[in-house]
Amino acid sequence: MIKGDTSSMAELCFVSLRDAIVEGKVKQGSKLSETKIAEQYQVSRAVVRDAIAKLEVCRLVERKPNIGAKVISLNEASLNELYQVRSALEALAARLAANNMTKQQRQQLISLLDSQKSVVRSNNYYQEAGDVDFHYHIITGSNNQSLVDLLLGSIYYLVRMYRVQLGMTGPRVSNAYFEHQQIAMAIERQDGELAEMLMRRHIQYSMQTIIDKFAANSISQLQL
Amino acid sequence: MIKGDTSSMAELCFVSLRDAIVEGKVKQGSKLSETKIAEQYQVSRAVVRDAIAKLEVCRLVERKPNIGAKVISLNEASLNELYQVRSALEALAARLAANNMTKQQRQQLISLLDSQKSVVRSNNYYQEAGDVDFHYHIITGSNNQSLVDLLLGSIYYLVRMYRVQLGMTGPRVSNAYFEHQQIAMAIERQDGELAEMLMRRHIQYSMQTIIDKFAANSISQLQL
DNA sequence: AGTTGATAAATTGTCGACAATGTTTAATTT
DNA sequence: AAATTAAACATTGTCGACAATTTATCAACT
């Protein structure tokens, strides 16, 4: 954590903790000790409490009075629920992107897909977080701040947390690239209805993959 | 604020501040002074800061380092965006409610509508917050906790804030009751697709009403 | 009257301390 | 040995204080 930025220490602590949780450095279900985190980051507990309060509302931690906070536990039921919500919201994002994307945003999306073409050939197509993430561009391209806040404020991190937990940040089958292309073409043609439908399908397939992976992961842990 | 509860003071302060903001006691766009709020509620500033941190993530306040927090400003663009998101999420809630509602929840919904029948006759049909709110029952009846958290954690309060600002907590035309009935019947018959479609329509009409009201309100303020 | 600069006052961000609560460890009883 | 109770320890919730930053006020100048 770099001091001297225009952000408060509390904000930096929040981002740092959020990333540590999402990327699996702090395990799901584990207890967050304000005292230890304050020591580790060399800040006062007030800073840590501010960050934890916000993480609670982001639904990455659960907090109980006098007991403290712990990272949420991941389970198949909540994964299912999360994907239902994700599907509804990202389908909306795709429809709005088809209608609302600026020319510049459209060009960025196309450029992104072009730059990823060679990656697909070597069967290494996957989505890193942030600027090079296809979904991130669709969401921001919706130009609906309320939707951006919801998706990038909470859903995005929860989904990523599951993917990290399941080791799904690595290569994926290249169907995803094809689906992304189809969605991008619908958006380019400003066909909101098609973009929405394709995105629903895409998320549905993705959901099936991650649920299968979760189930397989649970079975292999039972066998240990 | 009652002390001695099992909730922390920070939680009570959060709820109290949220309600004050949503119900218009603290004006939109106004500055929140930690010092003054702490005085008013007779707690330390730490309690107030905890509450404000959470209100920030709920998107009811905007916070800037070294400047402080202020209540969001309401405007037509963000109202529009909010309703787009609300429509997607409540349509999903209706579909899930048709599939997931327990028998008991279904009975409660029907009872609620029955109890409101006489109110409609006197043209006084409106939705108070919480337990007697039709939408609240649909959302909880979705039995998707992720969806409940999103809608009841943020969207619900933002929508209510707009309605209070526009004086829309009073009587409404009784079309709403008819629409609610139609939705409830689709849910009772477990017809998720119809429930979803009817809910989209219902929110769309509601959106048109509130946008018209917002525009009329803005014009009348310009004429002052 | 409007602008600029300096000073005072207020507010925010963070700190360490204290009291209350919960957890862990040790001692006692069965 | 197992169960119960008491004591010690750790953590959380809240407090007031300090330093840094911003805002408000006032005086001087144009």
Side-chain angles (χ1 to χ4, degrees):
Chain A
M1 271 200 318
I2 300 160
K3 303 192 179 184
D5 202 329
T6 55
S7 306
S8 63
M9 295 307 303
E11 176 68 22
L12 294 175
C13 185
F14 165 69
V15 170
S16 197
L17 257 189
R18 184 187 60 190
D19 289 348
I21 288 166
V22 168
E23 300 297 331
K25 287 177 200 149
V26 180
K27 296 301 173 194
Q28 54 146 335
S30 67
K31 185 85 191 295
L32 295 184
S33 159
E34 302 173 1
T35 311
K36 287 196 182 125
I37 293 166
E39 260 178 50
Q40 185 188 340
Y41 287 167
Q42 298 191 1
V43 292
S44 81
R45 276 180 50 234
V47 171
V48 179
R49 290 184 64 81
D50 196 287
I52 289 178
K54 286 161 68 173
L55 287 167
E56 180 189 17
V57 182
C58 287
R59 299 153 54 219
L60 289 169
V61 308
E62 291 166 333
R63 208 178 177 198
K64 288 182 183 173
N66 291 314
I67 308 275
K70 68 171 192 172
V71 178
I72 58 166
S73 294
L74 307 181
N75 62 76
E76 196 171 329
S78 68
L79 175 61
N80 211 13
E81 292 176 359
L82 178 64
Y83 261 77
Q84 284 176 339
V85 170
R86 182 187 179 203
S87 177
L89 291 178
E90 288 208 30
L92 174 63
R95 177 154 58 87
L96 293 179
N99 297 330
N100 296 342
M101 245 191 203
T102 63
K103 186 161 269 185
Q104 190 187 21
Q105 284 173 321
R106 224 176 267 128
Q107 277 167 359
Q108 279 173 348
L109 184 66
I110 302 302
S111 295
L112 178 66
L113 283 180
D114 280 349
S115 73
Q116 293 175 338
K117 210 178 272 186
S118 57
V119 180
V120 176
R121 288 218 190 86
S122 55
N123 212 19
N124 272 327
Y125 185 62
Y126 64 95
Q127 301 296 314
E128 293 189 12
D131 255 4
V132 292
D133 181 325
F134 175 79
H135 291 272
Y136 179 89
H137 279 262
I138 303 290
I139 292 163
T140 51
S142 71
N143 287 307
N144 174 324
Q145 191 59 45
S146 206
L147 186 54
V148 170
D149 288 343
L150 277 187
L151 279 167
L152 296 187
S154 175
I155 308 280
Y156 188 80
Y157 292 102
L158 286 164
V159 169
R160 183 148 186 93
M161 195 173 165
Y162 271 103
R163 299 178 67 87
V164 169
Q165 171 75 11
L166 295 170
M168 293 183 73
T169 51
R172 261 186 77 191
V173 296
S174 44
N175 282 352
Y177 182 76
F178 179 71
E179 289 160 18
H180 287 175
Q181 268 188 322
Q182 297 295 308
I183 293 165
M185 282 197 316
I187 286 167
E188 217 182 353
R189 295 195 300 227
Q190 300 184 21
D191 186 343
E193 193 173 11
L194 182 60
E196 175 173 356
M197 191 187 76
L198 290 171
M199 182 61 88
R200 275 190 197 278
R201 293 288 170 86
H202 174 58
I203 304 285
Q204 194 64 33
Y205 299 144
S206 176
M207 178 177 170
Q208 199 54 57
T209 302
I210 198 169
I211 297 238
D212 291 346
K213 186 99 183 197
F214 196 94
N217 213 286
S218 301
I219 287 166
S220 77
Q221 279 180 0
L222 281 177
Q223 288 172 348
L224 282 177
Chain B
M1 273 202 316
I2 301 161
K3 303 193 178 182
D5 201 327
T6 56
S7 306
S8 63
M9 294 306 304
E11 177 67 23
L12 295 175
C13 185
F14 165 69
V15 169
S16 197
L17 257 190
R18 185 187 60 191
D19 289 348
I21 287 165
V22 168
E23 301 297 332
K25 287 177 199 151
V26 181
K27 297 300 173 195
Q28 56 146 335
S30 67
K31 185 83 190 295
L32 294 183
S33 160
E34 302 174 359
T35 311
K36 288 196 181 126
I37 293 166
E39 260 178 49
Q40 186 187 340
Y41 288 168
Q42 297 190 359
V43 291
S44 80
R45 276 182 48 234
V47 171
V48 178
R49 291 184 63 82
D50 196 288
I52 290 176
K54 287 160 70 175
L55 287 167
E56 181 189 18
V57 182
C58 288
R59 297 153 56 217
L60 290 168
V61 308
E62 291 167 331
R63 207 177 177 198
K64 287 183 184 173
N66 291 313
I67 308 275
K70 68 169 190 173
V71 178
I72 59 166
S73 295
L74 307 181
N75 62 76
E76 196 172 330
S78 66
L79 175 61
N80 210 13
E81 293 177 358
L82 179 64
Y83 261 77
Q84 284 176 339
V85 169
R86 182 188 180 203
S87 177
L89 291 178
E90 289 209 28
L92 175 62
R95 177 152 59 85
L96 293 180
N99 297 331
N100 295 344
M101 245 190 202
T102 63
K103 188 160 268 185
Q104 190 185 23
Q105 284 173 320
R106 223 175 267 127
Q107 277 167 358
Q108 280 174 345
L109 184 67
I110 302 302
S111 296
L112 177 67
L113 282 179
D114 280 348
S115 74
Q116 294 175 337
K117 211 177 269 183
S118 58
V119 180
V120 175
R121 288 218 188 86
S122 57
N123 211 20
N124 272 326
Y125 186 63
Y126 65 94
Q127 301 298 313
E128 291 188 13
D131 256 5
V132 290
D133 182 324
F134 176 79
H135 291 272
Y136 178 88
H137 279 263
I138 302 290
I139 292 163
T140 50
S142 71
N143 288 306
N144 174 323
Q145 191 59 44
S146 206
L147 186 54
V148 170
D149 289 343
L150 278 187
L151 279 166
L152 297 186
S154 174
I155 307 280
Y156 188 81
Y157 292 101
L158 285 163
V159 169
R160 183 148 185 93
M161 195 174 165
Y162 272 104
R163 298 177 68 87
V164 170
Q165 171 74 13
L166 296 169
M168 292 183 73
T169 50
R172 261 187 76 190
V173 295
S174 43
N175 282 353
Y177 182 76
F178 180 71
E179 288 159 21
H180 288 174
Q181 267 188 323
Q182 297 296 307
I183 293 165
M185 281 198 315
I187 286 168
E188 216 182 354
R189 295 194 300 224
Q190 300 185 18
D191 185 343
E193 192 173 12
L194 182 60
E196 174 174 355
M197 191 188 75
L198 290 171
M199 183 60 88
R200 274 190 197 278
R201 292 288 169 87
H202 174 57
I203 303 286
Q204 193 64 32
Y205 297 145
S206 175
M207 179 177 170
Q208 199 54 58
T209 302
I210 198 169
I211 297 242
D212 291 345
K213 185 100 181 194
F214 196 93
N217 214 285
S218 301
I219 286 165
S220 77
Q221 280 180 359
L222 280 177
Q223 289 171 347
L224 283 176

